[in-house]
Amino acid sequence: PSCRRYVAGGRCKSTARLEGKVVIITGANTGIGKETARDLAQRGKCRLISRQPCARVIIACRDIAKADAAASEIRAETGNQQVIVKKLDLADTKSIREFAEKFLAEEKELHILINNAGVMLCPYSKTADGFEMHLGVNHLGHFLLTFLLLERLKQSAPARIVNVSSLAHHGGRIRFHDLHGEKSYNRGLAYCHSKLANVLFTRELARRLQGKFQRQAGFTANALHPGSVSSELVRHSFVMTWLWKIFSFFLKTPCEGAQTSIYCAVAEELDSVTGQYFSDCQPAYVSPRGRDDETAKKLWSVSCELLGIQWD
C-alpha cells in the first residue's frame, strides 16, 4: 500500500560495485548495520568471470557470537567469503586502539568507514574511560576510531567516512559544562546530544579534509538520519520497546533503514560531496546547532583532550 511505501522512504538506486574495496562497519551484527553489510558484500560479489577479488567487509562488533552469526548468514547469502568479524568495543578506548592496530597490521587499504554502532536510552552509566555512555560510544568512540584509521583512508582515496546520526540531533545541545551528565542526566536528551555531536564531528572533519587533497582524491565525510527503524536500539527502554511493537507498521524495516547509509557509502553522485547530512537518500535539514562552526571546533578540541590525542 502507498502508506507503507511512504514509511519505507527513499531507496539507494546506485548499482556501484565494490570489488577489491575494503569496508569497515561498526555495530553490523544486527539492525541497519547488518543490512548495510549485506548490501555492500553483494556489491563485491565473487564471480567466476571476474578476476577482481571480493569486497572485504569487516564487521566490527563487541558481541563476537552475534557478529559471527551475522557474518555467516551474509557469506551464505551473497557468496562473498570476505565478510570478516573483528572485536571492537566502542565503550573502551583500549579495545578501539587494539582493533585499529590489528587492522593496520593486516590490511593495506581502507575505502569506506561506516560509523554505525550506537547506544540509545541507557540508564546512567559510564564507559571504561569514565565517559557518559551515549557520548562515549556514539561520539568519542567513533571519533577515536576515525582518527586512528585516517591515514589508511587517505592512502586508499577515493575514500568515504559515513557517520550514522539521527533526526534526534534537533533536540540535542553540547553541554560543555556537563558533558558527562554528572550534574543532571536525562537518557533521552543524552542520546540527542550524542547525535548532535555526530553531525558536528562530520562538519568539522569535512572542513579539515577539504582543500587540494580532498578535491583531487575524493575523500569525503557525510552524516545521515536512517529513519525510525524497528531495531534493538530501544532495548534499554521498556516503554519504547512496547511502543515500537504497537506502531511497527509505521517503522522502517532494518533493510529500509539501511538505504541512506548505503547511499552515502556508494552513490556515484556523492564522489565530491562532503560535510552534508542526508535522510531518505537525499539532503536533509540540519538544526541551527548542527551548523554552528564554533561549537564544532570546540567539540573537536575537547574530544581530543578527553581522548589524549593530537589531531591537527
Side-chain angles (χ1 to χ4, degrees):
S2 57
C3 176
R4 183 61 225 155
R5 279 200 301 274
Y6 176 77
V7 169
R11 289 196 73 82
C12 177
K13 294 173 183 171
S14 170
T15 56
R17 303 208 49 86
L18 297 178
E19 280 94 351
K21 302 293 186 186
V22 180
V23 182
I24 292 175
I25 310 175
T26 66
N29 59 358
T30 187
I32 66 172
K34 180 180 172 184
E35 295 307 320
T36 303
R38 191 194 311 273
D39 182 285
L40 300 189
Q42 62 196 15
R43 287 172 184 269
K45 198 169 178 179
C46 286
R47 296 203 172 161
L48 294 174
I49 55 170
S50 172
R51 293 185 182 178
Q52 291 283 354
C54 302
R56 196 165 166 79
V57 179
I58 295 168
I59 291 177
C61 294
R62 181 172 52 88
D63 189 330
I64 293 294
K66 263 191 176 180
D68 280 335
S72 179
E73 180 188 316
I74 293 168
R75 286 194 293 265
E77 185 182 313
T78 64
N80 185 344
Q81 299 308 305
Q82 296 293 303
V83 179
I84 313 293
V85 171
K86 299 288 182 187
K87 171 85 171 174
L88 172 65
D89 184 354
L90 288 158
D92 185 349
T93 58
K94 185 166 176 273
S95 172
I96 299 168
R97 289 181 179 279
E98 284 173 359
F99 169 87
E101 193 177 318
K102 285 179 186 171
F103 174 85
L104 294 172
E106 294 167 5
E107 305 288 344
K108 298 302 171 226
E109 294 184 300
L110 176 58
H111 304 95
I112 302 170
L113 171 62
I114 302 179
N115 291 319
N116 163 83
V119 294
M120 180 180 181
L121 303 174
C122 300
Y124 188 74
S125 55
K126 289 187 172 181
T127 68
D129 302 272
F131 308 140
E132 186 278 314
M133 190 62 71
H134 292 90
L135 184 81
V137 171
N138 297 354
H139 169 60
L140 291 169
H142 283 129
F143 187 95
L144 178 60
L145 180 66
T146 305
F147 166 74
L148 295 170
L149 299 177
L150 194 73
E151 285 307 311
R152 189 56 41 93
L153 282 156
K154 279 184 179 178
Q155 293 160 11
S156 311
R160 298 187 187 190
I161 297 166
V162 178
N163 294 325
V164 178
S165 179
S166 169
L167 184 69
H169 85 270
H170 286 271
R173 56 187 303 177
I174 306 301
R175 303 167 71 246
F176 290 109
H177 66 287
D178 189 24
L179 271 181
H180 303 296
E182 291 164 327
K183 295 175 183 171
S184 68
Y185 180 75
N186 175 293
R187 56 188 181 170
L189 287 176
Y191 176 72
C192 295
H193 302 333
S194 71
K195 293 289 105 179
L196 174 60
N198 293 154
V199 172
L200 291 168
F201 168 47
T202 305
R203 188 176 182 88
E204 181 63 10
L205 176 60
R207 187 188 71 79
R208 287 166 176 258
L209 292 177
Q210 275 180 326
K212 187 178 177 186
F213 172 80
Q214 189 273 333
R215 281 198 302 272
Q216 286 179 345
F219 190 10
T220 64
N222 289 299
L224 66 103
H225 166 56
S228 297
V229 182
S230 179
S231 74
E232 293 179 14
L233 196 59
V234 295
R235 65 187 177 277
H236 293 292
S237 168
F238 172 77
V239 173
M240 288 295 286
T241 302
W242 183 68
L243 287 171
W244 246 228
K245 283 180 180 171
I246 291 175
F247 296 106
S248 59
F249 180 81
F250 300 101
L251 298 174
K252 291 184 178 186
T253 64
C255 180
E256 290 161 353
Q259 294 303 307
T260 308
S261 295
I262 297 162
Y263 175 75
C264 289
V266 305
E268 299 88 342
E269 63 266 31
L270 300 187
D271 280 346
S272 58
V273 175
T274 191
Q276 301 302 305
Y277 172 75
F278 294 86
S279 178
D280 281 326
C281 301
Q282 59 187 7
Y285 179 74
V286 179
S287 75
R289 287 195 180 108
R291 287 178 269 126
D292 187 328
D293 289 332
E294 290 311 306
T295 302
K297 288 172 188 170
K298 186 175 179 183
L299 177 64
W300 185 283
S301 173
V302 169
S303 299
C304 287
E305 274 177 45
L306 289 169
L307 293 163
I309 59 176
Q310 282 190 306
W311 189 353
D312 299 322

